[in-house]
Amino acid sequence: MLVGKSKAKPNGKKPAAEEKKVYLEPEHTKSRITDFEFKELVVLPREIDLNEWLASNTTTFFHHINLQYSTISEFCTGETCQTMAVCNTQYYWYDERGKKVKCTAPQYVDFVMSSVQKLVTDEDVFPTKYGREFPSSFESLVKKICKYLFHVLGHIYWAHFKETLALELHGHLNTLYVHFILFAREFNLLDPKETAVMDDLTEVLCSSPGNSGATGDGASSGASGAQNHVKER
Amino acid sequence: MNRKFFQDRSRSAALAALAALELHPLVLWSFLGTEPRASRFLVAMAMTGSTPCSSMSNHTKERVTMTKVTLENFYSNLIAQHEEREMRQKKLEKVMEEEGLKDEEKRLRRSAHARKETEFLRLKRTRLGLEDFESLKVIGRGAFGEVRLVQKKDTGHVYAMKILRKADMLEKEQVGHIRAERDILVEADSLWVVRMFYSFQDKLNLYLIMEFLPGGDMMTLLMKKDTLTEEETQFYIAETVLAIDSIHQLGFIHRDIKPDNLLLDSKGHVKLSDFGLCTGLKKAHRTEFYRNLNHSLPSDFTFQNMNSKRKAETWKRNRRQLAFSTVGTPDYIAPEVFMQTGYNKLCDWWSLGVIMYEMLIGYPPFCSETPQETYKKVMNWKETLTFPPEVPVSEKAKGLILRFCCEWEHRIGAPGVEEIKSNPFFEGVDWEHIRERPAAISIEIKSIDDTSNFDEFPESDILKPTVTTSNHPETDYKSKDWVFINYTYKRFEGLTARGAIPSYMKAAK
C-alpha cells in the first residue's frame, strides 16, 4: 500500500520513514495556542450530568475538527489521498448495512462529517429541549463519533501536516488534539487499540513539562473524576 | 515576503471574521459535505516551488482565518468558563456554610445548582429556528420589519419577536459589531431597556426575541389620548430621563428617541426599545437626503397658519403611516446630527424635548407635510420653535422644553443629568422610587398575552418565503441557528427568570 501511495506523489520519489512524521519534530510539538492544564478542563464538573457533559464536548469537537479539516480540504483530493490513511493503517467506511466501502480520504471524511452531523443534530440522540432525556445508547454513539473524529485528526497529521504548518495552524491542531485525546481518555471513549497508530505523537503532546509536574494532581483529579463518573451512572 | 503578506492579511481579517462569525454561523456549517477543490494547486505548487500560502484559493484563506479565530476564542472562553463555574461552586459552598445548613439541605442545594449548570450546558448546544415558535399575532410594524407576539413551543413562554429583513440592513460587518454592542447592553440588564433574550437568523431575516411588554408604546397611547396632562407628562418624561441616562452611562447613544420607541410594561412604566440595528437607516434621518437643500426658512405657510387643533389632527392622521415609512422625517432628530461638526449623547435630550412638546401640544414642534420642510424647521429652530397661544402650557413646561431644544453647548444635561433632574418642572418627582410607585396611567390588560394596547395589523408574508415543506434533516439543519454558543451564565440566569406564561396555561396548572 505504501508503494501505491508513493506512486501518487508528483516527484515519484519514495520518502524515508523519518520524513513522513514531520509532526514529531520538537519545534512543532511544542506549538500550542494555550498552556492551560487540559486535564483539569476535561474532568466532569461536580454533580453535572455526565451525558450533558459528553454531549457538550462532543458537539464542540465535531465543530472544531471539521473546521480544521476544512483548511486543508483543498489539498486532500482523490488523487493525493486515494485511501483514508494514517501511517500504515487504512480506514474503510461501513455503510448502514455494514457493507465495507473502499473510498478516498475526502470521501471518507465526507461520510464521517455527514453522519456525525446527523447524530449531533438529531433531537432524539442529542436532545436540546428542556427536560428531554438522552437515549440509553448515547454513550456508545459518542464512542463511535470519537472514533471517526480521531481518524480525521490522524489523517490531517499524517497526510497534511506540511500544509497545516504552512498555514500556521499547527499550534491550533496540536491544542485541539491534546484536548480531544485527554477528554476521550477521561471517559474511556476511544479504544487504545484504535489510537495506537498515533501513540508516538500522543505520548509527546500529552506529556508536556507542565503535565509531568502535575502528575500527582492529575492522579487526584482522575480519582475524583472517576468518583463522579461512577456516581452519575 | 508572501508569508508576511499572508500574516498581515490574516491579522487584519481576524476582526472581520469575528464579526462575520457572529452574523453568519451558516457559513461555518456550509463547510459540511463540500467537495474538495481540484488538485491544480498542488500541481502548481510542485511546478513553481511556491509555498501553499500564495497559491491557495481565497476560500481556503477564509477558512484558515475562520479556524484561527474560532479556536483561539474557544480556548480563551473555555478557560474563563471553567474558572467561573468553579467560582460559582465555591460561592455556593461558602453561602451554605454561613447559613449553617444541615447536610441534607446542603445536598439538596447542591443538586439544584448542578441541575441549573447542566441546563446551561444544554442551552449552549441548542439551535433555534422559526419552527420553534408559534406566531400568535402581529403587534407592530415598522419600516424594516415587524413585531409579533410569539410562544415558544417547548416551554410555552410568550415573547415579542422582532423580525428584520436582512436586505434592508446595513453592511453585514456593521450588523455584527452592532450586535456585539447590544450583547454588552443585554449583559448589563437595565430595568430601563426592553430585554433581548437572544437572536437568530435565516437567509431572509434577522430575528430578535424580546420580552413582551403588554402596555404598548407611547405613540399608540398619544394617538388614543391626543395630549397628556402636565402631571402625566412629568411622569413619563422623568422616567425617560432615567432610561436615557442609564444607557448613556453604559456608553451608548440611542439616537432614535421617539414615542414609538418608548414602550410601557404591564404596570405602565417606561422601557426603551429598538436601538442600534436600525439607527440612521431611514432616508430622512441621513444628511445626504438634504444635500441639495439649503437652510432657508420653510415655506409651507398654509400649514404653518393652521391652528394647533388642525395641526394635531393632521399629525395624528399621518402618524401610523409615518412610523412605517422607510423615508421617515427628522421630527425628533437634533440639528447637530445633520451638521459637519458631529454630535454627542446630548442629541437624545433634544429628542426628549420634542416628545415633551408633543405630549402637551398634540404634535411635535417641527412637523410638516414633507420631510424637507421639517428639516428646514429643525435647522431654524430658533425661529420655528414656538408655542401656539391657544394651548395652555405652564411656564415651567415651556422653560424645560426650551432648555432641551437649544444648541447642544447650552442644552440642559450638558454638565450632567443632575441638571435635568433639578429643573423646576420636575418638582415633586421621587427620582429614587418612581419606578416602584404606581404609573401615571394604569395599563388595563386581562391576561399576560393581552394585545389590546396594540393596533390591529393584517397578516403579512414576511415569514412565508422561509416556510419549508421538506422534512429533510439537512434542510432543518441549515434553517436553524446556533443561538446560545456565546451565552454567559448571567444571561442564562436572566433567561430562566422569565415569568410570562399565557393565561390558558395558567388555567391548566
Side-chain angles (χ1 to χ4, degrees):
Chain A
M1 280 307 168
L2 281 175
V3 172
K5 180 167 178 57
S6 66
K7 280 181 180 175
K9 295 186 84 71
N11 57 16
K13 175 184 175 183
K14 182 176 180 180
E18 296 76 43
E19 293 178 13
K20 296 296 290 183
K21 298 199 176 183
V22 179
Y23 54 82
L24 289 181
E25 291 176 11
E27 68 178 309
H28 300 320
T29 56
K30 67 188 179 188
S31 183
R32 310 293 168 88
I33 59 174
T34 179
D35 290 321
F36 201 82
E37 178 59 63
F38 278 113
K39 280 179 179 167
E40 191 180 338
L41 286 177
V42 300
V43 168
L44 180 70
R46 190 169 182 177
E47 294 193 44
I48 294 292
D49 180 68
L50 171 63
N51 281 343
E52 193 56 63
W53 184 247
L54 295 179
S56 180
N57 283 272
T58 303
T59 303
T60 304
F61 284 125
F62 161 61
H63 175 188
H64 291 163
I65 291 169
N66 184 57
L67 258 185
Q68 188 83 41
Y69 177 82
S70 76
T71 62
I72 51 82
S73 63
E74 184 180 344
F75 310 108
C76 182
T77 70
E79 291 173 26
T80 62
C81 304
Q82 293 178 14
T83 63
M84 182 63 174
V86 180
C87 300
N88 56 358
T89 303
Q90 285 174 32
Y91 300 113
Y92 297 89
W93 183 254
Y94 293 86
D95 63 19
E96 294 80 10
R97 294 165 297 171
K99 184 182 177 183
K100 187 177 179 181
V101 179
K102 186 176 181 181
C103 55
T104 64
Q107 286 171 341
Y108 185 93
V109 174
D110 187 53
F111 285 140
V112 163
M113 294 307 178
S114 296
S115 80
V116 174
Q117 167 209 321
K118 275 186 185 172
L119 286 172
V120 300
T121 59
D122 186 338
E123 187 66 28
D124 293 325
V125 180
F126 282 70
T128 63
K129 299 290 189 266
Y130 179 77
R132 291 200 63 179
E133 302 288 344
F134 288 91
S136 55
S137 59
F138 184 69
E139 191 167 336
S140 69
L141 289 168
V142 168
K143 287 181 175 180
K144 186 165 89 163
I145 290 172
C146 286
K147 181 179 74 169
Y148 290 152
L149 295 181
F150 176 78
H151 295 170
V152 177
L153 281 174
H155 182 73
I156 295 172
Y157 273 107
W158 169 253
H160 303 291
F161 192 74
K162 280 185 177 177
E163 289 95 6
T164 301
L165 265 179
L167 299 172
E168 296 176 341
L169 281 164
H170 51 297
H172 302 75
L173 179 62
N174 286 348
T175 303
L176 178 56
Y177 183 84
V178 170
H179 186 199
F180 177 73
I181 291 295
L182 290 178
F183 178 79
R185 270 187 190 171
E186 177 72 17
F187 302 101
N188 298 309
L189 302 172
L190 285 171
D191 187 335
K193 290 194 292 287
E194 186 74 41
T195 59
V197 66
M198 295 288 284
D199 270 353
D200 47 7
L201 177 68
T202 302
E203 195 172 317
V204 174
L205 290 186
C206 296
S207 62
S208 65
N211 285 357
S212 300
T215 301
D217 290 343
S220 167
S221 167
S224 80
Q227 265 185 353
N228 287 338
H229 202 78
V230 171
K231 187 172 186 178
E232 287 302 323
R233 276 173 164 158
Chain B
M1 181 61 70
N2 286 329
R3 178 173 288 247
K4 179 162 171 27
F5 171 77
F6 179 79
Q7 282 173 335
D8 290 342
R9 271 187 59 100
S10 180
R11 274 194 290 268
S12 65
L15 279 180
L18 185 57
L21 186 67
E22 172 76 13
L23 189 64
H24 292 300
L26 289 177
V27 172
L28 295 174
W29 303 106
S30 71
F31 292 164
L32 292 172
T34 56
E35 290 298 322
R37 296 294 180 83
S39 62
R40 66 181 182 277
F41 289 104
L42 284 177
V43 174
M45 190 163 47
M47 291 171 63
T48 66
S50 63
T51 63
C53 306
S54 60
S55 58
M56 76 187 73
S57 69
N58 282 332
H59 197 20
T60 292
K61 288 176 187 172
E62 286 169 10
R63 288 174 171 178
V64 169
T65 302
M66 186 80 70
T67 302
K68 285 181 176 176
V69 170
T70 301
L71 287 180
E72 289 165 17
N73 282 332
F74 171 76
Y75 282 102
S76 172
N77 289 338
L78 185 68
I79 293 159
Q81 285 158 21
H82 168 76
E83 287 167 353
E84 285 161 15
R85 186 166 48 236
E86 294 212 316
M87 211 178 311
R88 289 195 292 271
Q89 183 72 43
K90 284 174 184 170
K91 185 179 174 185
L92 173 67
E93 295 296 324
K94 186 183 175 190
V95 166
M96 293 195 301
E97 199 64 34
E98 286 170 352
E99 292 178 4
L101 295 187
K102 296 174 181 175
D103 285 349
E104 179 60 17
E105 286 166 12
K106 281 185 177 178
R107 193 185 64 78
L108 290 173
R109 287 276 285 272
R110 286 192 192 106
S111 290
H113 178 77
R115 272 197 306 275
K116 203 169 168 188
E117 294 278 4
T118 298
E119 197 186 332
F120 180 45
L121 281 177
R122 172 169 293 205
L123 184 79
K124 286 168 165 284
R125 287 194 298 108
T126 301
R127 293 157 55 254
L128 279 184
L130 211 45
E131 319 84 65
D132 295 296
F133 295 90
E134 187 88 49
S135 175
L136 302 179
K137 191 179 172 67
V138 180
I139 57 177
R141 191 155 282 146
F144 307 106
E146 62 186 38
V147 184
R148 292 181 175 228
L149 181 65
V150 300
Q151 183 178 31
K152 193 156 185 284
K153 291 176 181 174
D154 65 329
T155 62
H157 292 137
V158 165
Y159 301 98
M161 176 193 274
K162 189 183 292 279
I163 304 161
L164 300 163
R165 289 182 294 273
K166 282 182 166 179
D168 298 326
M169 301 300 297
L170 296 167
E171 292 300 317
K172 293 185 170 64
E173 308 90 68
Q174 288 171 276
V175 175
H177 289 302
I178 290 167
R179 279 181 54 179
E181 280 191 2
R182 287 178 59 89
D183 283 346
I184 294 166
L185 191 66
V186 168
E187 205 64 38
D189 195 19
S190 167
L191 278 178
W192 297 106
V193 176
V194 176
R195 304 183 67 189
M196 186 186 82
F197 295 112
Y198 41 85
S199 59
F200 58 92
Q201 61 186 291
D202 55 29
K203 284 185 176 177
L204 292 176
N205 299 320
L206 176 63
Y207 304 92
L208 308 176
I209 305 301
M210 329 280 298
E211 72 179 299
F212 171 57
L213 297 176
D217 63 46
M218 184 61 63
M219 175 178 72
T220 306
L221 180 70
L222 288 176
M223 288 176 72
K224 285 181 181 176
K225 289 189 165 295
D226 297 332
T227 58
L228 305 181
T229 66
E230 295 219 356
E231 291 73 28
E232 290 165 346
T233 301
Q234 184 200 59
F235 171 82
Y236 290 115
I237 297 298
E239 285 215 335
T240 310
V241 166
L242 293 174
I244 292 171
D245 182 56
S246 75
I247 64 167
H248 284 180
Q249 288 187 31
L250 291 167
F252 291 90
I253 303 173
H254 191 290
R255 241 204 73 184
D256 199 20
I257 301 288
K258 58 188 179 183
D260 19 333
N261 283 340
L262 301 182
L263 303 191
L264 303 172
D265 68 13
S266 59
K267 294 179 178 170
H269 294 282
V270 169
K271 288 207 181 200
L272 289 180
S273 170
D274 204 11
F275 46 100
L277 281 177
C278 297
T279 302
L281 210 56
K282 293 201 178 191
K283 289 175 188 168
H285 294 187
R286 290 180 241 154
T287 306
E288 63 262 27
F289 188 77
Y290 310 100
R291 187 178 302 117
N292 298 316
L293 198 66
N294 60 43
H295 288 188
S296 64
L297 282 163
S299 54
D300 58 342
F301 303 111
T302 304
F303 185 89
Q304 285 181 56
N305 291 326
M306 285 179 185
N307 64 36
S308 60
K309 189 181 177 189
R310 288 195 60 194
K311 280 182 180 176
E313 287 167 351
T314 303
W315 175 251
K316 182 175 175 179
R317 189 165 55 244
N318 296 326
R319 191 68 181 81
R320 182 66 67 188
Q321 185 177 331
L322 185 62
F324 290 175
S325 166
T326 56
V327 176
T329 81
D331 279 285
Y332 303 95
I333 300 183
E336 68 269 16
V337 172
F338 297 111
M339 291 173 176
Q340 295 300 319
T341 50
Y343 63 92
N344 57 30
K345 67 183 184 183
L346 300 177
C347 69
D348 287 336
W349 299 131
W350 170 285
S351 305
L352 187 57
V354 173
I355 292 174
M356 183 174 171
Y357 183 106
E358 180 178 358
M359 286 176 169
L360 295 170
I361 306 295
Y363 52 86
F366 311 111
C367 70
S368 300
E369 290 175 334
T370 69
Q372 290 85 354
E373 291 296 319
T374 301
Y375 171 83
K376 289 186 173 186
K377 290 180 178 178
V378 170
M379 302 310 282
N380 290 281
W381 58 270
K382 286 177 182 173
E383 286 82 28
T384 56
L385 177 51
T386 61
F387 294 89
E390 67 273 24
V391 181
V393 178
S394 72
E395 290 304 312
K396 286 179 180 176
K398 286 182 186 175
L400 179 56
I401 292 171
L402 293 173
R403 289 294 320 277
F404 273 137
C405 299
C406 61
E407 63 272 350
W408 70 268
E409 294 94 337
H410 304 107
R411 191 169 299 155
I412 193 170
V417 72
E418 284 305 316
E419 190 189 26
I420 301 175
K421 290 179 174 179
S422 56
N423 184 272
F425 178 77
F426 293 119
E427 186 179 339
V429 170
D430 180 357
W431 293 98
E432 299 301 317
H433 303 104
I434 189 169
R435 198 177 182 89
E436 294 139 38
R437 296 175 181 278
I441 298 173
S442 60
I443 302 298
E444 295 166 14
I445 50 172
K446 298 183 178 65
S447 65
I448 203 66
D449 57 344
D450 187 325
T451 57
S452 59
N453 289 302
F454 297 83
D455 281 0
E456 293 293 320
F457 296 91
E459 277 292 322
S460 75
D461 61 357
I462 194 167
L463 299 179
K464 199 166 290 179
T466 66
V467 171
T468 171
T469 54
S470 170
N471 287 323
H472 194 271
E474 186 80 13
T475 303
D476 181 58
Y477 182 76
K478 288 181 176 175
S479 70
K480 296 208 178 201
D481 198 340
W482 295 84
V483 167
F484 303 103
I485 198 156
N486 290 315
Y487 237 57
T488 62
Y489 194 79
K490 184 179 180 184
R491 289 182 71 193
F492 161 70
E493 284 191 301
L495 195 67
T496 58
R498 66 193 183 273
I501 299 175
S503 55
Y504 48 92
M505 289 195 67
K506 274 184 177 176
K509 282 184 173 178

